[in-house]
Amino acid sequence: MTPFPELETKRLLLREIKQSDSHDIFQIFSSDEVTKFYDVESFSNMKQAEELIQRWNERFEKGQVIRWGIALKSDNRIIGTCGFHGWMKQHHKAAMGYELAPEFWRQDYMTEVTQRIVEYGFKKLELNRIEAFVEPENAGSRTLLEKIGFSEEGILKENYYWKNRFVDNVIYALLKKDYV
């Protein structure tokens, strides 16, 4: 699936994440606010960011995931990431994930981003179903998903084991036929 697809929104560029972005990725993932609902502990060193970038890029090359860096058009600095994982090509579905540096929350950046990658998923990746798994307490993410047309389908009890505890997930989904 090379080359890596670049996407644009009004204010943002969704682009490949490179090792030169490791400082920005470290800043994002070292924030406890960002990792609160994430399946990783907050980063404590730059090597963790470098390894994450390498893992995302290797999995992209294998056609398993696509993870974009969310960059401001004004300075090309990475302020978050987004993409698809759990990609089941034979079933035409994938799960969507995202995070954003806290200083950019509540400015509709993630609305722009998720609308654009959903469009890409349905039109270019030929997905029929896009899912998102959200912890019930993550009100911001739940509001975002509903805002862009996802429907809550139910709660998966103790669906994951993260940070030494079992975690429930609310499953949201959007079907291609319901995409407007």
Side-chain angles (χ1 to χ4, degrees):
M1 180 189 229
T2 49
F4 193 94
E6 285 197 354
L7 307 176
E8 285 189 50
T9 72
K10 181 180 175 184
R11 301 176 288 172
L12 304 165
L13 176 64
L14 307 181
R15 64 167 178 82
E16 182 177 8
I17 305 167
K18 300 180 176 171
Q19 286 298 331
S20 58
D21 299 311
S22 60
H23 177 74
D24 295 333
I25 295 297
F26 174 76
Q27 291 298 332
I28 295 163
F29 282 90
S30 64
S31 167
D32 291 339
E33 287 179 281
V34 171
T35 63
K36 179 178 182 180
F37 298 114
Y38 215 85
D39 64 338
V40 297
E41 296 292 335
S42 296
F43 286 2
S44 58
N45 64 68
M46 191 69 70
K47 185 163 179 52
Q48 292 167 295
E50 294 165 355
E51 290 170 351
L52 181 60
I53 293 167
Q54 181 178 344
R55 194 165 47 251
W56 280 334
N57 290 336
E58 286 172 358
R59 293 182 71 205
F60 170 77
E61 290 299 325
K62 293 177 182 175
Q64 298 171 330
V65 303
I66 184 166
R67 196 74 176 193
W68 286 276
I70 303 167
L72 295 170
K73 282 184 177 178
S74 59
D75 65 7
N76 202 30
R77 178 171 53 109
I78 298 291
I79 62 169
T81 78
C82 64
F84 296 113
H85 59 278
W87 196 356
M88 300 177 74
K89 294 176 187 175
Q90 71 275 25
H91 298 294
H92 300 271
K93 74 175 188 173
M96 179 173 67
Y98 44 79
E99 74 284 322
L100 195 63
E103 61 265 33
F104 297 97
W105 292 0
R106 295 174 200 66
Q107 298 174 47
D108 276 338
Y109 284 115
M110 200 52 77
T111 300
E112 281 182 44
V113 166
T114 53
Q115 287 174 332
R116 184 65 182 96
I117 68 170
V118 163
E119 175 188 31
Y120 184 84
F122 287 137
K123 292 184 177 178
K124 298 293 185 184
L125 299 180
E126 299 178 355
L127 297 176
N128 181 63
R129 176 182 171 89
I130 300 173
E131 300 173 335
F133 298 87
V134 182
E135 287 191 40
E137 302 81 22
N138 191 344
S141 191
R142 294 180 74 172
T143 299
L144 168 69
L145 291 167
E146 291 167 7
K147 180 178 182 179
I148 65 168
F150 279 65
S151 297
E152 179 181 329
E153 294 187 333
I155 296 179
L156 302 171
K157 296 289 188 180
E158 298 183 359
N159 191 43
Y160 291 108
Y161 188 76
W162 290 343
K163 301 180 182 177
N164 299 314
R165 65 185 179 98
F166 290 101
V167 176
D168 294 347
N169 284 145
V170 180
I171 183 168
Y172 284 85
L174 180 61
L175 302 178
K176 187 174 187 174
K177 69 181 181 182
D178 298 327
Y179 173 70
V180 186

